[in-house]
């Protein structure tokens, strides 16, 4: 029965009419709630079906390993069965004649210092040996790369002289900072390092401050404003080369050939 079509008789008492109005309103609200509940049940059923499909897919993927798919052995789950390997008859490790992949030696002109090391004791008698009593039969060269014992900043004093103009104009002239040094208290190489730390390694100004002091000591204490100014100067100096390279790439016959 559609209660919205029910008409309350006029001869009913006022209490009965009020009760009827309340009952009709509650019945309509209950019907709306039941309708929404049915819609929610349909949505839950669909969600359950999707979840069951995902579970089936995950179960299928869970059984996937390097032996039954294109997955590499490094992606095998712990539950994967051990792979069957056929012996090749070769020993483990690099084969004879295989070129090594270690670091090569630096050229002699690149070496800053050299140390001659001789055997220090006899493994049979345990006697300590002196280099003076040993004759070298061969020598194995090993190169070790390290930082210098102390890294110091280069402090350059620029004296900006004020002079009387010799042309007779009567003016006094004061020299300006050389263009190659820029106008900040930071040299070009240190500016480039600040810009590198900010752009390539995404360090904040505070972290750049700490890195510079850790590497170069208290002489490398700079304000965040100084670091920002150096970064902006480097960005401005690279703007034109960047635009030139971009235009050249856009007009090139082929790109990404590398």
């Amino acid at each position: 029965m559609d209660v919205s079509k029910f008409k309350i008789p006029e001869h009913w008492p006022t209490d009965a009419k009020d009760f009827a109005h309340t009952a009709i309103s509650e019945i309509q609200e209950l019907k709306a709630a039941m309708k929404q509940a049915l819609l929610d049940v349909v949505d839950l059923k669909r969600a359950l079906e999707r979840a069951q499909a995902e579970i089936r897919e995950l179960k299928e993927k869970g059984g996937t390993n390097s032996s039954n798919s294109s997955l590499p052995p490094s992606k095998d789950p712990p539950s994967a069965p051990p792979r069957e390997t056929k012996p090749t008859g070769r020993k483990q490790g690099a084969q004879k004649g295989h070129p090594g992949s270690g670091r090569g030696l630096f050229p002699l002109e690149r070496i800053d210092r050299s140390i001659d090391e001789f055997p220090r004791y006899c493994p049979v008698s345990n006697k300590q040996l002196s280099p003076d009593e040993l004759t070298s039969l061969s020598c194995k060269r090993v190169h070790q790369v390290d930082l210098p014992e102390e890294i110091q900043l280069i402090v350059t004093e620029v004296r900006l002289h004020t002079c009387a103009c010799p042309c007779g104009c009567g003016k006094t002239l004061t020299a300006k900072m050389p263009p190659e040094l820029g106008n900040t208290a930071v040299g070009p190489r240190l500016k480039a390092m600040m810009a590198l730390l900010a752009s390539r390694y995404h360090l904040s100004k505070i972290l750049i401050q700490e890195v510079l002091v850790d590497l170069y000591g208290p002489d490398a204490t700079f304000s965040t404003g100084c670091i920002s100014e150096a970064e902006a100067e480097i960005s401005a100096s690279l703007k034109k080369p960047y635009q030139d390279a971009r235009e050249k790439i856009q007009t090139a016959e082929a790109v990404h050939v590398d």
Side-chain angles (χ1 to χ4, degrees):
M1 176 182 177
D2 189 357
V3 295
S4 62
K5 297 180 180 180
F6 178 75
K7 295 183 178 180
I8 301 174
E10 295 293 335
H11 63 276
W12 280 14
T14 302
D15 294 342
K17 289 182 178 179
D18 292 341
F19 177 79
H21 282 300
T22 302
I24 291 173
S25 177
E26 292 179 351
I27 291 173
Q28 289 176 338
E29 292 178 358
L30 181 60
K31 289 180 66 178
M34 292 177 61
K35 184 177 180 180
Q36 183 61 43
L38 290 174
L39 294 176
D40 292 341
V41 169
V42 173
D43 291 340
L44 289 173
K45 184 177 179 181
R46 292 174 180 173
L48 178 61
E49 291 174 351
R50 289 195 298 267
Q52 290 174 340
E54 291 178 359
I55 291 173
R56 287 194 298 269
E57 184 179 355
L58 290 174
K59 284 184 177 180
E60 293 175 358
K61 288 184 177 180
T64 302
N65 53 63
S66 59
S67 62
N68 57 17
S69 70
S70 59
L71 284 176
S74 59
K75 298 295 184 180
D76 279 345
S79 58
R83 299 184 69 211
E84 296 182 1
T85 57
K86 298 180 181 180
T88 61
R90 298 188 302 176
K91 295 181 179 180
Q92 292 184 352
Q95 304 302 307
K96 187 175 181 180
H98 175 75
S101 58
R103 289 174 59 92
L105 295 177
F106 289 97
L108 294 177
E109 59 271 16
R110 181 62 184 85
I111 298 174
D112 298 301
R113 65 172 183 171
S114 60
I115 300 175
D116 288 303
E117 184 68 19
F118 291 88
R120 298 191 178 187
Y121 67 92
C122 173
V124 178
S125 63
N126 204 28
K127 175 188 175 182
Q128 290 189 351
L129 305 175
S130 171
D132 297 335
E133 60 181 330
L134 296 174
T135 301
S136 177
L137 302 178
S138 63
C139 175
K140 178 182 178 181
R141 299 169 62 209
V142 179
H143 287 178
Q144 184 183 79
V145 180
D146 199 0
L147 295 173
E149 296 178 359
E150 184 177 5
I151 305 176
Q152 290 185 341
L153 294 176
I154 300 174
V155 180
T156 302
E157 180 183 75
V158 182
R159 300 185 180 93
L160 304 177
H161 292 273
T162 300
C163 308
C165 183
C167 72
C169 64
K171 290 188 177 181
T172 301
L173 308 176
T174 300
K176 297 181 180 180
M177 285 288 290
E180 63 271 14
L181 296 183
N183 297 319
T184 63
V186 181
R189 285 182 290 273
L190 188 53
K191 286 178 192 174
M193 183 177 184
M194 290 178 176
L196 178 68
L197 294 175
S199 60
R200 176 65 178 86
Y201 298 105
H202 306 289
L203 296 187
S204 65
K205 304 298 184 291
I206 300 297
L207 286 179
I208 293 176
Q209 283 182 314
E210 296 177 1
V211 167
L212 293 177
V213 173
D214 289 342
L215 291 177
Y216 304 115
D219 289 344
T221 302
F222 300 99
S223 66
T224 55
C226 179
I227 296 173
S228 296
E229 185 178 353
E231 184 182 355
E233 189 174 342
I234 292 295
S235 298
S237 64
L238 294 176
K239 185 176 181 179
K240 188 178 185 306
Y242 173 80
Q243 291 293 343
D244 293 343
R246 183 178 181 181
E247 292 175 1
K248 188 173 183 180
I249 291 174
Q250 290 176 342
T251 57
E253 295 181 359
V255 295
H256 296 301
V257 294
D258 55 339

